[in-house]
Amino acid sequence: MDQPRNRKTTSPSTGLAALPVVAPRVAHARFRIGDMVRHRMFGFRGLIFDIDPVFANSEEWYEAIPAAMRPARDQPFYHLFADNGESSYVAYVSQQNLIGDETGDPIDHPAIEALFEQQADGRYALDPQRWH
C-alpha cells in the first residue's frame, strides 16, 4: 500500500523524523576546459581552466557584486585565464555572463603554457604531459 506523500517518516536508526533531501538545481555547463570565451558585458576574453557546477567562491566576493548585476548561484561558474588587451589575470565568471569566442586569436596570459598547448586551429587543449 502506498504511503501518503505528506506523511512524516522516522529514521529506523534514530527514531527521529527524517527530513527530505533537497538537491540544488544545477544547470549544465555550456563550455568546457580549454574553451575560449568572452565576457558578455565587459568584453574581456579568457581561457577556461576550471569549472564549478555552482557558485563556490566566498560570500564576500559574491556580496561585492552590485545587486542588480549579481548572478544566480545555481549555475556553472568558470575560472578563466583572462586577457583584457592591457593586462592578464584570473577571473571567476558565471555562465550567464559568458559567450563563446570564435575569433581564434590567442589569449595572452602567462599561465596558459603551464597547462595547455595551442592547436593549429587556434584552440587550446590540455597538455597531456602536464596531467597529474
Side-chain angles (χ1 to χ4, degrees):
M1 179 173 194
D2 291 335
Q3 292 182 344
R5 288 181 182 241
N6 61 355
R7 183 175 176 188
K8 291 185 179 180
T9 59
T10 57
S11 167
S13 61
T14 65
L16 300 174
L19 298 175
V21 175
V22 179
R25 183 182 81 74
V26 178
H28 293 285
R30 276 188 247 148
F31 303 105
R32 299 178 310 207
I33 291 173
D35 282 353
M36 292 185 293
V37 292
R38 181 178 301 275
H39 194 283
R40 200 179 285 277
M41 291 185 281
F42 301 124
F44 65 83
R45 299 171 60 237
L47 178 67
I48 297 171
F49 69 90
D50 197 11
I51 304 169
D52 293 334
V54 294
F55 178 78
N57 206 334
S58 71
E59 194 61 28
E60 181 179 76
W61 184 93
Y62 189 76
E63 292 297 325
I65 301 170
M69 296 175 58
R70 198 171 295 148
R73 295 173 186 261
D74 61 349
Q75 62 180 309
F77 277 73
Y78 299 86
H79 300 260
L80 310 176
F81 292 133
D83 167 22
N84 67 8
E86 296 177 14
S87 63
S88 59
Y89 50 97
V90 172
Y92 190 66
V93 184
S94 64
Q95 181 163 275
Q96 75 186 50
N97 286 321
L98 292 176
I99 56 175
D101 182 292
E102 302 298 327
T103 63
D105 295 337
I107 304 289
D108 184 20
H109 194 286
I112 290 175
E113 288 181 10
L115 296 176
F116 295 91
E117 52 186 27
Q118 193 168 15
Q119 307 295 298
D121 64 359
R123 298 186 181 278
Y124 293 88
L126 283 171
D127 184 349
Q129 295 178 3
R130 309 241 187 250
W131 295 358
H132 53 272

